[in-house]
Amino acid sequence: MTTVSEVSLDELRHLVSERAIKGETMLLNMGPQHPSTHGVLRLLLELDGELVINCIPDIGFLHTGIEKNMEAKTYEKAAVMTDRLDYLNNLGNNLVYCLAIEKLAELDVPPRAQVIRVLLTELQRISSHLVWLGTHALDLAAMSVFLYTFREREIILDIFEMVSGQRMMTTYFRQGGLWRDVPDEFEGAVRRFIRLFPDRIDEYESLLTKNPLFLERTRKIGVISGEDAIRWGVTGPPLRASGVAFDLRKAQPYSGYEQYDFVIPTQTDGDTYARYLVRMEEMRQSLRIVQQALDNLPGGPVRSDNRKYVPPPRSELATSMEAVIHHFKLWTEGFDLPKGAVYVPVESPRGELGVYLESDGGPKPYRVHWRTPSFVNLQALPLLSKGHLVADLVALIGTVDVVLGDVDR
Amino acid sequence: MNEQLLPAVNALAGRFTATASEFRGETTLMVPSEQLVAACRTLRDEFGFNLLEDETAVDYWPQQEPRFHVVYQLYSQPGYLRLCLRVPVSGMHPSVPTVEGIYPNANWHEREIWDMFGIRFEGHSDLRRILMPYDWEGHPLRKDYPLGYEEVAFTFNEDEINQGKPYAKE
């Protein structure tokens, strides 16, 4: 029998105000099984009537020990787990992990692979924003938007399925490039999406942007200043909606983002409505990047030919002894990375997604740490929610755009 | 080394006992834990490192003493610069001063490090477990904490495995 140690309430006393202890305010539990918490987020609310005095997030319900598990796998096998962190940004997670390996190994990526990586992560950004938009509107009782956004998201997921065989858990980016080249019908499918999507964004906007009910629920709700956002480490659309034009795609371009022409949308109000506008504009900008990437898609290989890190193609195995040796070594023992540690950040749909990867010179990561945007941005929720109504809290959880798989890892 | 980082690195090396190193274009400063808060304050106030991007720890048990390193990634948004601070921490009663007073978002990062590595942060406002259940024993990301696994059930050992499982009782 295991013994369960009791946590004494005294240990939690410092979280609430004196008034709660005297019984003047009410403590209320919200979640973890609540439809508007976008997963399993539990909030402990201190309420004065319907006003939120304090909100204490309780996370960890989706903790799966990915960082520990990755230490027990070889680098290439651990890549499969990166998809499972932020299940709306699978390719972005693949990308940052591959960039970290490539930085440690000083491995080059062919230009065609770079462009396809950018193209697909931007499509992923659009699909992630579509899920955010649909669920955010659904939380605020605008039900039909959800149906429209999931219709377009399906087209993007079909493209992912076409290239990787999987709608969500793609593991399509590998160290040194891509798993394999995109199929012939890929270009046509993306072109159809580029033609169709601008009208669809206008359609969403016609439902929400000037909708008085939506404005009432989002304007002046959850205002955060640019300075506060930086102090609390908030990045991504919430930071840009507070007037700070910080985007890692511009600040520290990776994967060739410096070649693309796009702008960072910003707003100055810092409220829920500003964050909505920023994300809507981001979808348009992402579409521009997709268009440019597709127009300038170079030919050539999609994976590095450095055989110490990248397995040889199947066709070589029948003719080359070297290839057989490399194949065997890479799929049994894996590859060794030089001893050292790197930190690589990218701009995910939610903000700065960073991976800290440390190698001890062996075939398995010595330590992997994920700096996930949802985890850091969620920390600002108590700050955003103070003084608002419980009903607004639903809008605020939506506007921070957390993915609980990303928070809990 | 990035030339724009030099003033900050030189100032820290001069004022504190910090040693700089360079790997793959990333600059790392090794800082003793008692000077950490002062070093962070200097970096934020004088050199514009206004964003704590990440804070984590690494366990080097058993091959190295001090056993832990706490790793801070600081970012300067005005200068687009990144600097990494590493603080060695001994394995006996590991503790580091908190940087919550300088970067408020260190709160959850430090709770996570306490949860996963058992490193205490002196002066932290709310040092509770964050990801693991509150009554969990041990700190999972330490290297001497085993990775749990599920034994594969075959017909010959099925009953044995089932006996050891904590099924819900009627």
Side-chain angles (χ1 to χ4, degrees):
Chain A
M1 275 302 285
T2 50
T3 52
V4 177
S5 64
E6 290 286 326
V7 66
S8 113
L9 278 177
D10 281 334
E11 286 176 36
L12 303 173
R13 237 162 223 271
H14 65 282
L15 296 173
V16 294
S17 71
E18 275 301 308
R19 292 174 65 204
I21 293 172
K22 284 192 213 135
E24 289 170 17
T25 56
M26 182 187 177
L27 292 176
L28 184 77
N29 178 61
M30 179 170 170
Q33 285 94 358
H34 189 283
S36 81
T37 56
H38 296 219
V40 278
L41 171 66
R42 178 175 168 242
L43 299 172
L44 183 64
L45 304 178
E46 187 185 340
L47 303 174
D48 184 359
E50 219 188 322
L51 282 181
V52 178
I53 298 191
N54 196 3
C55 141
I56 305 153
D58 181 13
I59 61 172
F61 293 94
L62 214 56
H63 178 61
T64 45
I66 281 181
E67 291 177 7
K68 180 84 176 171
N69 275 310
M70 284 176 107
E71 289 174 8
K73 305 250 183 301
T74 61
Y75 286 100
E76 189 151 8
K77 285 177 188 163
V80 178
M81 273 186 269
T82 62
D83 295 310
R84 274 84 180 159
L85 286 155
D86 178 349
Y87 39 78
L88 297 181
N89 181 35
N90 321 85
L91 287 160
N93 297 339
N94 294 165
L95 177 68
V96 66
Y97 180 70
C98 291
L99 288 176
I101 292 180
E102 284 149 14
K103 190 170 180 185
L104 262 176
E106 297 185 306
L107 189 61
D108 288 329
V109 181
R112 183 176 170 83
Q114 297 271 26
V115 175
I116 295 175
R117 279 180 177 187
V118 168
L119 198 163
L120 289 172
T121 39
E122 289 307 319
L123 281 178
Q124 181 89 72
R125 188 182 315 276
I126 295 174
S127 85
S128 170
H129 280 357
L130 286 176
V131 175
W132 159 79
L133 177 64
T135 51
H136 188 42
L138 191 65
D139 289 344
L140 300 177
M143 204 147 184
S144 47
V145 185
F146 180 79
L147 304 171
Y148 294 131
T149 59
F150 270 60
R151 179 184 62 188
E152 273 73 75
R153 174 176 183 253
E154 207 59 27
I155 303 175
I156 299 179
L157 293 187
D158 284 346
I159 295 174
F160 293 162
E161 189 177 3
M162 183 192 295
V163 298
S164 74
Q166 286 274 1
R167 283 153 48 84
M168 291 176 76
M169 302 301 159
T170 50
T171 324
Y172 183 58
F173 303 159
R174 304 285 173 87
Q175 75 282 359
L178 310 173
W179 171 53
R180 61 179 186 191
D181 205 349
V182 292
D184 295 336
E185 60 270 29
F186 171 75
E187 191 176 335
V190 179
R191 287 224 186 275
R192 270 196 298 284
F193 180 74
I194 293 173
R195 266 202 305 278
L196 163 132
F197 195 59
D199 292 344
R200 298 288 165 90
I201 303 183
D202 294 342
E203 190 180 358
Y204 314 142
E205 289 229 60
S206 68
L207 288 167
L208 292 174
T209 305
K210 288 179 184 158
N211 181 336
L213 291 172
F214 186 73
L215 289 173
E216 195 73 16
R217 292 294 304 272
T218 54
R219 274 217 173 134
K220 305 269 185 294
I221 301 293
V223 180
I224 186 167
S225 70
E227 296 82 63
D228 273 347
I230 291 174
R231 265 160 47 79
W232 283 92
V234 173
T235 48
L239 179 62
R240 294 192 280 272
S242 301
V244 183
F246 176 66
D247 187 320
L248 284 161
R249 290 175 294 172
K250 288 274 191 202
Q252 295 192 325
Y254 51 90
S255 293
Y257 265 109
E258 64 278 8
Q259 300 159 17
Y260 300 93
D261 176 28
F262 65 104
V263 293
I264 310 172
T266 53
Q267 292 284 329
T268 47
D269 293 349
D271 60 2
T272 302
Y273 187 64
R275 290 186 277 273
Y276 159 79
L277 292 176
V278 163
R279 289 198 178 98
M280 294 308 275
E281 187 54 32
E282 263 185 23
M283 286 201 270
R284 292 204 171 89
Q285 296 298 330
S286 290
L287 201 67
R288 280 179 68 193
I289 301 176
V290 171
Q291 170 94 56
Q292 292 167 47
L294 197 63
D295 290 343
N296 303 314
L297 191 62
V302 292
R303 217 165 171 191
S304 155
D305 57 1
N306 186 336
R307 294 277 171 266
K308 295 296 165 211
Y309 297 108
V310 178
R314 197 83 209 167
S315 55
E316 273 181 33
L317 292 184
T319 53
S320 157
M321 189 62 212
E322 281 280 291
V324 176
I325 295 169
H326 281 132
H327 178 87
F328 181 75
K329 284 286 273 185
L330 283 170
W331 290 114
T332 52
E333 190 189 324
F335 53 85
D336 296 347
L337 285 185
K339 194 170 157 59
V342 290
Y343 176 77
V344 181
V346 300
E347 189 71 28
S348 95
R350 271 158 276 287
E352 176 182 335
L353 170 68
V355 62
Y356 173 85
L357 183 64
E358 178 153 349
S359 160
D360 61 347
K364 292 174 184 172
Y366 190 74
R367 170 93 174 97
V368 192
H369 175 71
W370 292 84
R371 185 265 188 221
T372 51
S374 307
F375 179 81
V376 185
N377 292 359
L378 184 63
Q379 211 181 152
L381 186 65
L383 191 71
L384 290 174
S385 60
K386 263 173 209 158
H388 289 296
L389 302 176
V390 178
D392 293 331
L393 204 58
V394 173
L396 291 172
I397 298 168
T399 190
V400 177
D401 191 17
V402 289
V403 166
L404 267 295
D406 204 28
V407 174
D408 294 342
R409 283 155 288 145
Chain B
M1 191 186 290
N2 189 335
E3 281 169 21
Q4 289 166 295
L5 269 175
L6 276 177
V9 171
N10 288 340
L12 251 71
R15 273 183 250 174
F16 308 103
T17 45
T19 46
S21 62
E22 172 101 3
F23 180 73
R24 300 279 187 265
E26 292 180 19
T27 308
T28 305
L29 279 169
M30 198 73 105
V31 184
S33 68
E34 55 278 11
Q35 295 177 347
L36 171 71
V37 177
C40 284
R41 183 160 288 131
T42 310
L43 284 171
R44 185 195 64 177
D45 294 343
E46 293 175 32
F47 299 99
F49 284 87
N50 52 355
L51 177 67
L52 174 73
E53 283 187 310
D54 188 25
E55 181 177 348
T56 184
V58 190
D59 182 5
Y60 294 104
W61 182 85
Q63 67 271 30
Q64 202 171 311
E65 183 59 41
R67 174 176 173 171
F68 299 106
H69 278 184
V70 181
V71 186
Y72 302 77
Q73 305 286 348
L74 304 180
Y75 191 74
S76 151
Q77 274 175 332
Y80 295 152
L81 299 170
R82 181 171 289 113
L83 190 62
C84 173
L85 295 186
R86 289 178 89 98
V87 179
V89 186
S90 145
M92 295 294 284
H93 311 292
S95 102
V96 187
T98 177
V99 295
E100 211 191 340
I102 304 163
Y103 302 108
N105 67 326
N107 188 323
W108 279 21
H109 287 301
E110 289 177 351
R111 277 178 69 188
E112 189 188 328
I113 297 173
W114 156 247
D115 193 355
M116 293 293 158
F117 290 92
I119 299 174
R120 293 204 74 90
F121 287 87
E122 298 308 324
H124 193 282
S125 62
D126 182 23
L127 201 63
R128 288 177 296 135
R129 284 190 182 273
I130 187 165
L131 294 177
M132 304 303 282
Y134 65 88
D135 56 352
W136 193 264
E137 282 173 23
H139 300 283
L141 276 175
R142 287 188 173 197
K143 289 284 177 186
D144 51 359
Y145 188 98
L147 187 69
Y149 68 97
E150 185 87 352
E151 200 175 345
V152 183
F154 294 102
T155 41
F156 75 88
N157 62 0
E158 196 179 12
D159 296 335
E160 203 182 320
I161 290 172
N162 280 339
Q163 268 173 13
K165 286 216 167 162
Y167 290 122
K169 303 282 183 298
E170 296 172 59

